[in-house]
Structures are given as structure tokens and as C-alpha cells.
Amino acid sequence: MKNKKIFFTLPHNNPSGGVKVVNEFVNLCREKGYESFLCLPSDEVKLATFLNNSAPVKSLYEMIKLSTSEDYIICCWQSKDEVHAVKKSKAKLKVLWQHGILIPNTNKDVGDLIYKEKIFNKYANVSHSCGIYIKNKYNLDKMHTINPFFEINRKEIIKENERNGFLILARRGSEYIPKIKNELKNLNQSLTILYEPYKNNHFINLLKIHKYFISIDNGLNYSLSWKEKLKGKKLNWIKHDKNYLGFPVPPLEAALTKTIVIGFAMGGGLEWMNSECLFLAKDNDINDLIQQIHKAIMTDKLTISSMQEEACRKAEFFNKENSWKQLINILEIKDNDK
């Protein structure tokens, strides 16, 4: 059998949970013996330097030239550049793998035409709940789920009684930080705020020494720092009646390090996030988030330990082999095909 290539596409390779996930899938395909690349617009071809193991990259133009009728393309965004390259490619199977229900709608994107035109053979989402919503919204025949996977080295996690303080990522939702910071100060609790740019490995190491992680990712409501990245231009989205993130990544990484999670599920996180395994606040409700912080501090050690174990158990479902099975199922290839 001819060697098959599996191409993934993105509009950029900058720090984000989605970019991290796609890089890991490219590397997974290569581990399994397939030639695989992350393909980007010509002016965005660069390695994901925030990761320890960035996937090999090529331009979308190179993807068009390299693709054959034996190959596969997984498009991970709705940019015009990517859609054009997908249309031009010779790949036999073209999959749109959306991360959530949010659809970009700028002059560089195709908007929801991505679902109205017959561009792709199949559709997938990182989240089952988000995928079902999109399937019903656009009357699609079928929606697959390809979950992200996570691998955490737990050897360096320090003893529970030596872990202290709260950790926050200053990305989306940064407008909540001043109120949280003031509240924790009043409670005589320490807070570490990790600002961009940062290495993902550094974030994981910080999780291992902190007792609590506060997830403040608020989906559609972008913080000032995010707007600054867009040079003051407001990014337009096709908004639905739900505010679903595809799959909040940092809370799950926190669960795997047995760091106590407090925060928002933002729809897609409900695949595993509930009140049995973390302190779940109402989406984008800062007052409820503050209440959950108080609740976490006051909860007894036995209950906390039980929640940590349950969160870790749920998070362990999102592993490499389960994600690989989901991927090869949608690509309709056997595990030993090359």
C-alpha cells in the first residue's frame, strides 16, 4: 500500500490550546508511521516555539503540491486560505475538525459557508456537545467527535500538604483577575498569575506545585490583552445562542496533575467537568466564581481528595490511544495501514 499522508491545517501556529492540540495530533500521526504535517499560510510558516515538541510544518501551497489521492486533510479553521487549499488539493478525504461552535467571520474567513457548501466529506468537533449543536444547526447528516489528548508526567508533583496557592493563566478572561486578586488578598491566599508568552511545560510545572487552578477562560468575551494582539480590531464571529468553547484545555491539564480546579466549563468542558470533580461556576459569572473560590478553601480534606481523584479519573479518558481510535475511525483507515 502506498504511504499515506495526513495533513492538518491552521491559520497560524501561535500559543493557544487549539494550536497545541493540533501539533500533538500531527506528532501522533507520525508516531503511528504516517507522514504528517501542520500546514499554514505562507506568511505564517513557523514552529510552535511555546511547545516542547512542535510538529513539522509546511505551507498550504506545499500541501497542494504534495497531496495525492491517497492522502487525508483535516482542516482545523475556516480561513479562506485553508479552504482554498483544501479545494485545490488531491486528497481523497477532507475533514473539517471544528473546535467549538464559534465560527470566525472576518474578511479572511468563509464564515458558515463552511457548512452550507459541500467542501468537506466529513465533519468533526473536539467536543461531542458542541458537535451535536453544529450538526442540528446546519442540518448535517453526521458529526464525529475527535477529542484532544493529554500526557502529563506526574513524577514531579509534590506532596499534597506542600502544595500552596492559586494559579491563573492571564489570557481570555483577564478582566476577572483584579477582582479575584483582591478577594484572595483579603483571604490571605497567595496567587500566581502566568502571563503570555510562556512555555507550556512551565505552566505544567507550576500546576504541580500549586493547590488550586482558577479557569477564567470566557469564550467570546475577549480580554484587553487579546484585543491588543488583534491590534485593536474586534474579531467578528457568527455567534449562536450558546457560548461554547470547544474544549477548555488548561483545566483538564490541572486535573491530571491533581490540582484543584475552580472555574467555568464554557459548554464544551461539560464533557467531563461537573460539581463532583471540581468547583464549577456559572459561565462568565464572576460573583459565582468568587463563591466557588470560598467554597474550595472551606471544603474538608477528605472531600477535596475525593474530588481530585474523580477529576483525574475523568481526565484520563482523554488519552492518546482513545484519540487515535477516533481519528482513524473518521478517516476509515485500519490501525496497521501505512
Side-chain angles (χ1 to χ4, degrees), residues 27-46:
N27 288 331
L28 172 59
C29 291
R30 297 177 76 87
E31 287 176 20
K32 295 293 185 178
Y34 292 86
E35 196 173 0
S36 187
F37 301 97
L38 173 54
C39 302
L40 304 152
S42 296
D43 58 348
E44 292 287 346
V45 177
K46 60 182 179 182

Side-chain angles (χ1 to χ4, degrees), residues 52-174:
N52 295 325
N53 189 21
S54 179
V57 296
K58 288 191 180 294
S59 70
L60 292 171
Y61 176 78
E62 288 175 297
M63 181 185 78
I64 295 171
K65 295 296 183 182
L66 288 171
S67 64
T68 72
S69 59
E70 293 290 320
D71 299 334
Y72 308 90
I73 293 177
I74 296 100
C75 179
C76 305
W77 197 256
Q78 294 93 338
S79 73
K80 290 178 180 177
D81 286 340
E82 289 170 89
V83 171
H84 173 76
V86 169
K87 288 180 176 179
K88 288 284 188 180
S89 78
K90 298 175 183 176
K92 71 174 180 180
L93 186 61
K94 302 170 182 180
V95 180
L96 176 65
W97 184 26
Q98 187 173 347
H99 294 215
I101 69 170
L102 196 62
I103 299 178
N105 195 36
T106 70
N107 59 5
K108 292 185 177 181
D109 304 299
V110 298
D112 59 3
L113 287 176
I114 201 85
Y115 290 112
K116 295 176 180 178
E117 295 183 356
K118 300 297 182 182
I119 302 168
F120 297 91
N121 308 104
K122 296 186 178 184
Y123 302 94
N125 205 294
V126 294
S127 159
H128 177 73
S129 54
C130 294
I132 292 301
Y133 181 89
I134 289 290
K135 176 182 178 292
N136 294 335
K137 179 73 176 179
Y138 293 102
N139 196 29
L140 303 175
D141 291 334
K142 189 170 184 179
M143 176 65 71
H144 298 262
T145 301
I146 306 174
N147 292 131
F149 64 87
F150 303 87
E151 293 184 309
I152 302 290
N153 180 356
R154 302 180 192 173
K155 292 181 179 179
E156 297 173 2
I157 299 174
I158 65 174
K159 294 179 180 178
E160 189 62 35
N161 60 0
E162 296 176 3
R163 299 176 74 169
N164 290 294
F166 290 74
L167 175 65
I168 286 181
L169 280 181
R171 291 170 57 191
R172 291 180 298 202
S174 292

Side-chain angles (χ1 to χ4, degrees), residues 8 21 48 55 120 131 157 164 182 213 254 276 284 311 331:
F8 292 78
V21 167
F120 297 91
I157 299 174
N164 290 294
N182 185 61
F213 172 70
E276 294 180 0
N284 294 331
L331 298 183

Side-chain angles (χ1 to χ4, degrees), residues 3 14 18 31 33 86 90 95-96 100 111 122 141 145 162 166 186 193 196 212 215 240 266 270 297-298 318 324 333:
N3 189 44
N14 300 324
E31 287 176 20
V86 169
K90 298 175 183 176
V95 180
L96 176 65
K122 296 186 178 184
D141 291 334
T145 301
E162 296 176 3
F166 290 74
N186 293 337
I193 304 172
E196 294 183 301
Y212 306 95
S215 180
H240 302 287
M266 299 307 299
L270 293 172
I297 294 171
M298 298 299 295
F318 303 98
W324 177 244
I333 56 179

